[in-house]
Amino acid sequence: EAPCVSGVTLNEKEVKISIFRVLDRPGIAAKIFGSIAKNGINVDMIVQNVSKEGYTDLSFTVSIDNLEETVKVTKRIALVIGAGKVSFDKDIARVSIIGLGMQSHPGIAARMFSVLAKNRINIKMITTSEIKISTVVPKKDGKKSLRAVHKEFIE
Amino acid sequence: EAPCVSGVTLNEKEVKISIFRVLDRPGIAAKIFGSIAKNGINVDMIVQNVSKEGYTDLSFTVSIDNLEETVKVTKRIALVIGAGKVSFDKDIARVSIIGLGMQSHPGIAARMFSVLAKNRINIKMITTSEIKISTVVPKKDGKKSLRAVHKEFIE
Ligand SMILES: C[C@@H](O)[C@H](N)C(=O)O
Ligand SMILES: C[C@@H](O)[C@H](N)C(=O)O
């Protein structure tokens, strides 16, 4: 079958914010992101994994220019919903591969993760869909990741 | 600005597998998904949120037909990498909205989450990108979610 990865992207201008210990019941995600949207802040990547004992963590990325305001807004809403602590991480770069029908090519994600592993790059977050596989890596590894993944899939 | 949500999808044929307490260092994700790919199993959604104290959880979805084999393979690799327990959840449906440039429309995700919240539907997992916002909800709420989100964005 034809290779289906059409591009690799690097975003070094984002920061990640996490709200820990969020109650896992309807309305919580709506409150959090409604609040952030009301402040006109664009949210890029949102990640929520499964809850444990009724609580989960929510992480999301915003442009670095919005860091201060986003942290302020997030801490305010975290208080309202009784969540745990809010933290932010500027040490990130987001490397993604874009393609079509990637879910029916087992191993595309595995290949991307292997390439990063071979370069000793730690994967801090992962989100995937049929059209895009995104990994968040340490900021210093952003360009190295882009080159390595580009070499693996595009060249 | 022109509305940018072009479609809503529902996938009721997936199951979610989680590996808890995975060591957060290079090579782990590659081992897990390399192993699954070697067995010819297609992986759809992969979610990894940030680690705490050096460990994180990895969740992913596969077609329900692959459940048994995937659990077997995953348990085997979990042992190899010294991860914690492996669990699976058949009680899921994945509802996604697809569009263009959604990250520059603050509030699209918030609107989707609000619609689900108004219908008292709990969001079990979230992954987003500029082109797709995916939520995993309880299986019984799949069709209701699809209708509600479709009504909100498409009609
Ligand atoms: C944690 C959060 O996503 C919650 N489950 C909600 O539905 O809003
Ligand atoms: C947890 C897993 O993603 C690990 N950080 C890796 O890079 O493989």
Side-chain angles (χ1 to χ4, degrees):
Chain A
E1 273 198 41
C4 59
V5 174
S6 58
V8 187
T9 62
L10 169 66
N11 189 326
E12 296 177 293
K13 301 204 175 80
E14 293 187 338
V15 295
K16 177 225 67 163
I17 287 131
S18 293
I19 313 173
F20 295 99
R21 211 167 156 75
V22 167
L23 204 57
D24 184 23
R25 56 173 180 68
I28 298 290
K31 276 206 180 76
I32 293 166
F33 294 98
S35 192
I36 291 165
K38 271 208 197 78
N39 285 272
I41 299 163
N42 293 329
V43 170
D44 209 330
M45 185 182 184
I46 300 173
V47 183
Q48 176 190 318
N49 206 341
V50 296
S51 64
K52 292 185 280 204
E53 300 166 351
Y55 291 91
T56 187
D57 307 320
L58 259 164
S59 297
F60 58 95
T61 61
V62 297
S63 155
I64 191 156
D65 309 326
N66 289 325
L67 175 60
E68 203 173 325
E69 179 175 14
T70 308
V71 171
K72 217 185 276 163
V73 171
T74 308
K75 285 187 166 175
R76 216 157 48 212
I77 194 73
L79 254 140
V80 168
I81 62 172
K85 77 176 178 91
V86 170
S87 75
F88 64 89
D89 185 1
K90 291 205 256 178
D91 178 32
I92 66 161
R94 184 156 60 98
V95 181
S96 307
I97 59 179
I98 302 173
L100 290 171
M102 294 198 286
Q103 84 288 359
S104 47
H105 289 260
I108 294 222
R111 260 173 78 198
M112 182 186 187
F113 303 157
S114 285
V115 163
L116 297 174
K118 285 200 186 86
N119 286 274
R120 305 190 197 286
I121 295 165
N122 193 45
I123 303 168
K124 295 173 120 178
M125 288 163 80
I126 299 171
T127 64
T128 69
S129 70
E130 300 89 325
I131 31 190
K132 189 169 186 171
I133 298 172
S134 279
T135 57
V136 168
V137 298
K139 201 177 190 88
K140 65 169 170 57
D141 295 323
K143 293 195 169 70
K144 179 158 77 161
S145 301
L146 177 70
R147 278 196 306 267
V149 175
H150 195 270
K151 186 153 184 270
E152 170 73 17
F153 287 102
I154 310 289
E155 296 160 31
Chain B
E1 275 196 40
C4 59
V5 175
S6 57
V8 187
T9 61
L10 169 67
N11 188 328
E12 296 177 291
K13 301 202 174 82
E14 293 187 337
V15 295
K16 177 227 67 166
I17 287 131
S18 293
I19 312 173
F20 295 100
R21 210 168 156 74
V22 167
L23 203 58
D24 183 22
R25 57 171 179 70
I28 297 292
K31 277 204 180 77
I32 293 166
F33 294 98
S35 191
I36 291 165
K38 271 208 199 78
N39 285 271
I41 299 164
N42 293 328
V43 169
D44 209 330
M45 187 180 182
I46 300 174
V47 183
Q48 177 190 318
N49 205 340
V50 296
S51 64
K52 292 184 282 204
E53 301 167 348
Y55 291 92
T56 186
D57 306 321
L58 259 164
S59 297
F60 58 95
T61 61
V62 297
S63 154
I64 191 156
D65 309 325
N66 289 325
L67 175 59
E68 205 173 324
E69 180 174 13
T70 307
V71 171
K72 217 185 277 162
V73 171
T74 308
K75 286 188 166 174
R76 217 158 46 214
I77 194 72
L79 253 141
V80 169
I81 61 173
K85 77 176 179 87
V86 170
S87 76
F88 65 88
D89 184 0
K90 290 205 257 178
D91 178 31
I92 66 161
R94 183 156 61 99
V95 182
S96 307
I97 60 180
I98 302 174
L100 290 171
M102 295 199 286
Q103 85 287 3
S104 47
H105 288 261
I108 294 222
R111 259 173 79 196
M112 182 185 187
F113 304 155
S114 283
V115 163
L116 297 174
K118 284 200 187 87
N119 286 274
R120 308 193 197 284
I121 295 165
N122 193 45
I123 303 168
K124 296 174 119 179
M125 288 163 80
I126 300 170
T127 64
T128 70
S129 69
E130 301 89 323
I131 30 190
K132 190 169 184 171
I133 298 172
S134 279
T135 57
V136 168
V137 299
K139 202 176 189 85
K140 63 169 171 56
D141 296 323
K143 292 194 169 72
K144 179 158 78 161
S145 299
L146 177 70
R147 280 196 304 268
V149 175
H150 195 271
K151 187 155 186 265
E152 171 72 16
F153 286 102
I154 311 288
E155 293 160 34

